[in-house]
Amino acid sequence: MSDDEREEKELDLTSSEVVTKYKSAAEIVNKALQLVVKECKPKVKIVDICEKGDAFIREQTGNMYKNSKKKIERGVAFPTCLSVNNTVCHFSPLASDTSELEEGDMVKIDMGCHIDGFIAVVAHTHVVQSGPITGKQADVVAAANTAAEVALRLVRPGKKNKDVSDAIQKVAAAYDCKIVEGVLSHQLKQFVIDGNKVILSVSNPDTRVDDAEFEENEVYAVDIVASTGEGKPKLLDEKQTTIYKRAVDKNYHLKMKASRFIFSEINQRFPILPFTARALEEKRARLGLVECVNHDLLQPYPVLYEKPGDYVAHIKFTVLLMPNGSDRITSHPLQELQPTKTIDDPEIKAWLALGTKTKKKGGGKKKKGKKGDKAEGGAEGEAMDASTNGGAS
């Protein structure tokens, strides 16, 4: 699509075709997540699982809009990542990596799909074990999930981004956990995975974002990361970074031949959305990517860590702010949780009791009024109930 055409009409949820594309992308990414969760077993290589997730999205999106008159871009919007235990995010290793999952590992799965640039992202936390999750692992998953349930109810027209930041921190504290600093929930637009309207996970003097009010017909990727540690993740090794996004507003004449070759391939194959270096020839990529990053042509998504022994849980969902209420379109059922804490705070209970539909539709969905566990009975905008049951699948 040319820039002129895009200028001509910024497509949003007032178009039923756009809503369909968001929901189709969501259906594919939910199924991809289901597949990835099933693959999370001891002694399975992480890179193989990441590859399966991406391949499934490519295959499923490839089957859509085949006969469309105009070319419709579609595929992976964010490469599959599997970040284990105290690894916070963005671990999506190269083919040569031999890391494997182990029994008891807490795995954060993060992935995205798009159809015609309309993006659905999801993140989910799964523990490699059968039976219920207990102890601190249960507490941190419950913290992330309950915070996500509260965020779903507060990301609605008329509310402010700051309201959400404050609320999710309060929820995490109720489980004796911390919301991880530096995580941003972004507005999504066509071909834009990191829109300008954002929700900051933790407000502090170093990180400021503009105050913003949510509006009808907007789409958000609500991103919640909780930790049993301090919630101040560190970059340990730049060489582990494998996910990048083209910084479209930057230009530089690269000196090395390998860099020029890689950059040309990136411009052709991944001009806008994040991609994994796995998709490039490994030796050449290692050489070429460094110069591209040093001159700001690529934005890296670094692999970050909490301290060894800390557990980190991640829940991310895509929500459409429709005229009749919030429609959460991505999720996956959690394993059974047996947290050591319960929610007694009246304010958190009040947030969880809010519906996700507006009154226009006869009073919206009723919340199941469960208070403990982790705000069980999620009663999200649409069906997808992220409640404690649902087994390990």
Side-chain angles (χ1 to χ4, degrees), residues 33 46 57 62 109 116 150 170 219 246 282 326 351 379:
L33 173 55
I46 291 176
I57 290 173
I109 302 159
D116 197 19
V150 167
K170 185 168 187 174
V219 181
R246 170 81 173 93
E282 194 165 322
S326 303
W351 288 325

Side-chain angles (χ1 to χ4, degrees), residues 62-96:
N63 291 335
M64 302 187 75
Y65 295 100
K66 275 180 171 169
N67 305 320
S68 171
K69 287 192 177 70
K70 76 175 179 106
K71 183 170 187 266
I72 289 190
E73 299 286 337
R74 56 214 192 276
V76 174
F78 197 85
T80 305
C81 302
L82 262 69
S83 307
V84 176
N85 297 332
N86 64 313
T87 312
V88 176
C89 55
H90 305 148
F91 190 77
S92 189
L94 297 174
S96 56

